[in-house]
Amino acid sequence: MAGSSIMENLFQRTLEDLIKGLRLQLIGESTFISNATEEIRREVKSTDQHTKSIALQKLSYLSAVHAVDMSWACFHVVEVMSSSKFAHKRIGYHAASQSFNDNTPVLLLITNQLRKDLSSTNHFEVSLALDLLSRIATLDLARDLTPEVFKLLSTARVFIRKKAIAVVLRVFDKYPDAVRVCFKRLVENLESSDPQVVTAVIGVFCELAAKDPGSYLPLAPEFYRILVDSKNNWVLIKVLKVFAKLAPLEPRLGKRIVEPVCDHMGRSGAKSLVFECVRTVLTSLSDYESAVKLAVEKVRELLVDQDPNLRYLGLQALSVATPEHLWAVIENKEAVVKSLSDDDSNIKIESLRLLMAMVSESHVADISRVLLNYALKSDPEFSNQILGSILTTCCRNVYEIVVDFDWYVSLLGEMAMIPNCQKGEEIETQLVDIGMRVKDARMQLVRVGRDLLIDPALLGNVHLHRILCAAAWIAGEYVEVAANPFELMDALLQPRTSLLPPSIRAVYINSAFKILIFCLDCYILQNEGSASWYSDNLAGGQSDLLSVKNDTEAAELATCEGSNDEQHEDFNPRNATESSEDLSVKNDIDRVATHGQASTPPTVLGKKNSMHESIVSLLNRIELIFGPLIANQDVEVLERAQNLLSLVQLIKEEIIDNLVQSVVDIANKKVTRVTAIINLLRDAFTTELGPVSTSAQGRIVVPDGLVLKENLDDLQAMCGDIELPSSSSFGTGVPHLTTTSDTSSSNLLKNEESGPLKESTSLIEHRKRHELYYLPSEKSEIVSDEYPPAKKDKKRANQTKPRLALVRLDDGDVAPISVKRPEPRDDSLSGAIKDVLLRSETGPCMSGSSRSKNHGHSHTKERRHRGKEKIVEGEEHDQREKKKSGHCRGRRKTHQRAKSPVNVVSHTPVIPDFLL
């Protein structure tokens, strides 16, 4: 065995040999590491401590650099840790800190070894044990080793004491009852004359105060003394962090600390300390105007500094000031805007956040214009961040800051035109949402949608397909306010639309279907003489607008287009007032139809012929473009194209080919089958779509007799042959068909088309078989189509352009956010600290009156405490402290029940009067 160990030592590769071999290997890195790991497995089983430690050292390197698993060697780590040689012990401790965790099975084996090393006279061994304890301490280790850590908190060796202070943070976290043993000794180290010890203690309290600052209010005098006397910038930064947590809890504390904080901010040349002073003032001392002004001046100096790191800190300080001091951001607006063109991406993002924080109703347009200009010349990533910020800010609280929706709709169109725009989904959602909510913005929506649809360059950009989908939907849904429906149809019938995906192409076809119904309805109304004649040439795309609806609709649309009648005399057959010439023509025609003594005026016949030619040309183009789609593989495109082409074929056969020549014949002609179909579709498409609340489904009362939680196992068998419809681009649902045509038309359609409707017949049969799963039809209620009234804002009453009416839902427009409740935090640490501070009757945490009342008892307690230092034991000391604290709490409860005002200990942390 001795010879074997000697041979292993002679031919064993060291860590340096392993690294060299890894760099020069030719067999592949993974193969080399695998071979080295097998070699380590053999070496680590050696009985020689040196061979074992070298193998463990190589394994630690492979685990750290190449993520090799070393959990299998945990027992060998414990063996090397117990070596008597410090060189071997150091390797073992390093391997343990690297591989051990709470689930390591051998943790219980190292408790005695850690206790032995913590009590060693070699301060290097003590340092190794403290370092390991700070990394892997568990509840058992912290409980068992608390007495040793307590002793080290008062050791004369500063190198050890500062490490023991740092370990206390981990011990308190894992074993809160250690507070009762170590907290007083930890507080005493705040008065140490050694700056390293004070730095360590302040670091520990800074971390503790971040979790529960209220427990450390009694220590404010000690922190204040360090704030005034210390010259160490690092210590001052930590103290400022502590006071930033404590000042909001005790308003009187701010009066005392604001002066030293301002002194440090004005005199210090360290930018880190100045920044921490600025942040403390802006977050916790914002009620002191002079301090805030000084902080803003320091922020301005940081913003113009040449160092990008300091400029970033200046922007961060402004972001801290934004919630309560927005004026500070506005004063530095130029520097913030200039930062948008900085080379550092972090600076650009921070400046963008600040600009969006400044947005309000008064200057949302100006800021958006500036940001849009920067988006045009920025890289794609930052450009999309700018667009996303504008979209998110403007739609917040249902477009709260948007006053001019025409401007905002135009802005959305400009965003879509920006190169590298990838916000198609957000722009699509907002275009559709504004169309549903804001009636007065629909005309501008149609104009912007037309501009997007007629641009062939946008069809090849996959990121804009969703925007084109929204534009096509808007063109079909709000065609009645369009200046020229034929332009919209030309845009939808472009040959390059074949580049679009099937889902978008289906929306294009559906919108073309709606526009065609609109044009045919106007054509039929003209031929029947039931509406006013058009005054412009339809083939040229120009016509005055006629009123075929009620007086309310005519008045609405007249206000929308009143300013544009002279500029846009385009085709819009439903939405304009009648001219005197049209009225005379109408009266002449009525007289001819009534008395049969005169013929139709030649001008009217000429306009009718032009309209006829335009309709024929439109139908031919639809057949040309959508004809090949009959063989399309997508079911949505195929079905909609077939519906559209079937309607076109029917129109051409029954109306266009049988054109009548005189107005009298047209007036006397009966309602045809095609007229009834077009009237039905017209009434269906004129049913207005509005926004739907996210909680609408929850407000539906479950009918009596409808079982929702039982007897659903057989649904799969009953509905297995029924295919669910595919989802569309928008969540608006299928429009409800409300038939408003006369009874004869309805009966005609029912008699002639009852044969082909096999699907509806099967649905009726399915309902009869499975009546249980259907809602009863006799209980349907009439739902009002009225929009809820828009909320009025008194602030916007004096603006030059009034805010357009915006539809808001009564129960909110956003989905209810499920707030995740924070898990109950184990506040046993805070409770233990409060008990220690409230029970303590000596030191800086007691007021003058309490100190004078309990002076004699404090001496007794100090003597008892000094005696405990020599023979302190963790478990026994713990039990005594628990019994004592329980007895005191019981006495306090008894006094409270008896309502005795004498000698009642307050549970509120006490700050000495001389500080406040």
Side-chain angles (χ1 to χ4, degrees), residues 530-543:
S530 62
S532 301
W533 297 103
Y534 303 130
S535 60
D536 290 330
N537 190 348
L538 203 91
Q542 294 187 355
S543 152

Side-chain angles (χ1 to χ4, degrees), residues 268-310:
S268 177
K271 299 294 184 181
S272 57
L273 179 58
V274 171
F275 174 74
E276 197 59 45
C277 292
V278 168
R279 184 159 60 180
T280 302
V281 169
L282 294 178
T283 55
S284 305
L285 304 175
S286 57
D287 296 335
Y288 302 92
E289 186 176 353
S290 58
V292 172
K293 289 183 178 179
L294 179 60
V296 173
E297 291 179 5
K298 294 297 180 180
V299 169
R300 190 177 296 112
E301 294 177 4
L302 294 175
L303 289 175
V304 297
D305 200 282
Q306 297 297 324
D307 189 353
N309 296 319
L310 296 180

Side-chain angles (χ1 to χ4, degrees), residues 482-486 518-519 522 538 541-543 545 569-573:
N484 190 344
F486 283 104
F518 176 77
C519 296
C522 299
L538 203 91
Q542 294 187 355
S543 152
L545 307 174
E569 297 180 351
D570 296 335
F571 175 69
N572 198 343

Side-chain angles (χ1 to χ4, degrees), residues 473 477 510 514 640 681 683-689 728 732-738:
W473 184 85
E477 188 67 23
N510 199 50
K514 293 179 181 179
R640 299 187 189 196
L681 293 173
D683 294 333
F685 290 147
T686 53
T687 301
E688 204 167 87
L689 295 176
S728 59
T732 55
V734 181
H736 180 69
L737 301 182
T738 306

Side-chain angles (χ1 to χ4, degrees), residues 446-463:
V446 174
R447 291 172 185 162
V448 172
R450 178 198 60 193
D451 296 338
L452 294 172
L453 291 173
I454 63 177
D455 189 354
L458 302 181
L459 295 172
N461 190 345
V462 294
H463 299 293

Side-chain angles (χ1 to χ4, degrees), residues 649-661:
Q649 188 65 27
L650 186 63
I651 297 298
K652 292 182 70 174
E653 289 177 357
E654 299 204 13
I655 291 185
I656 304 303
D657 295 341
N658 300 319
L659 179 65
V660 292
Q661 299 297 328

Side-chain angles (χ1 to χ4, degrees), residues 658-896:
N658 300 319
L659 179 65
V660 292
Q661 299 297 328
S662 65
V663 178
V664 178
D665 296 335
I666 295 172
N668 293 332
K669 188 177 180 180
K670 296 181 179 180
V671 178
T672 63
R673 176 169 173 246
V674 174
T675 304
I677 292 176
I678 292 176
N679 288 337
L680 179 65
L681 293 173
R682 175 202 64 194
D683 294 333
F685 290 147
T686 53
T687 301
E688 204 167 87
L689 295 176
V692 180
S693 171
T694 55
S695 59
Q697 184 70 32
R699 298 200 304 270
I700 299 177
V701 181
V702 180
D704 297 335
L706 179 64
V707 181
L708 295 179
K709 298 182 179 179
E710 298 177 3
N711 301 330
L712 299 180
D713 296 334
D714 54 345
L715 276 182
Q716 183 64 29
M718 290 188 296
C719 303
D721 55 340
I722 299 178
E723 295 183 358
L724 296 177
S726 60
S727 59
S728 59
S729 299
F730 307 107
T732 55
V734 181
H736 180 69
L737 301 182
T738 306
T739 305
T740 58
S741 58
D742 55 356
T743 309
S744 60
S745 303
S746 301
N747 294 335
L748 180 62
L749 287 174
K750 186 183 297 183
N751 295 333
E752 293 184 4
E753 296 188 6
S754 59
L757 298 180
K758 297 180 180 179
E759 294 182 359
S760 60
T761 305
S762 62
L763 184 60
I764 293 174
E765 294 176 357
H766 189 275
R767 181 186 182 104
K768 290 180 179 178
R769 292 199 311 267
H770 311 293
E771 186 69 26
L772 175 65
Y773 301 101
Y774 284 87
L775 291 176
S777 57
E778 64 272 5
K779 294 184 180 181
S780 60
E781 298 178 356
I782 299 176
V783 182
S784 174
D785 291 333
E786 295 291 333
Y787 280 95
K791 294 182 180 179
K792 296 182 179 179
D793 196 342
K794 296 180 179 180
K795 296 180 181 179
R796 300 167 182 154
N798 299 326
Q799 292 176 352
T800 56
K801 185 168 183 178
R803 178 183 171 89
L804 300 179
L806 175 68
V807 176
R808 291 176 181 269
L809 301 178
D810 294 337
D811 57 345
D813 294 274
V814 294
I817 301 174
S818 58
V819 181
K820 184 179 180 182
R821 296 183 179 180
E823 297 181 359
R825 186 173 57 87
D826 184 16
D827 53 356
S828 54
L829 175 61
S830 302
I833 291 175
K834 288 179 181 178
D835 288 345
V836 171
L837 290 175
L838 291 173
R839 286 190 300 103
S840 177
E841 297 173 352
T842 60
C845 57
M846 287 298 298
S847 63
S849 58
S850 300
R851 190 184 300 112
S852 60
K853 289 180 182 180
N854 301 284
H855 183 68
H857 182 64
S858 64
H859 286 292
T860 307
K861 189 168 183 177
E862 286 179 5
R863 286 195 298 271
R864 189 187 311 124
H865 190 69
R866 283 195 298 269
K868 286 180 183 177
E869 289 183 13
K870 301 178 182 178
I871 54 173
V872 61
E873 293 294 334
E875 290 293 336
E876 297 177 2
H877 184 274
D878 238 341
Q879 293 174 2
R880 287 196 298 270
E881 288 296 317
K882 286 181 180 178
K883 291 179 181 179
K884 188 187 300 181
S885 61
H887 179 64
C888 293
R889 283 195 295 271
R891 272 194 314 191
R892 283 197 292 271
K893 291 180 181 178
T894 306
H895 285 309
Q896 288 175 0

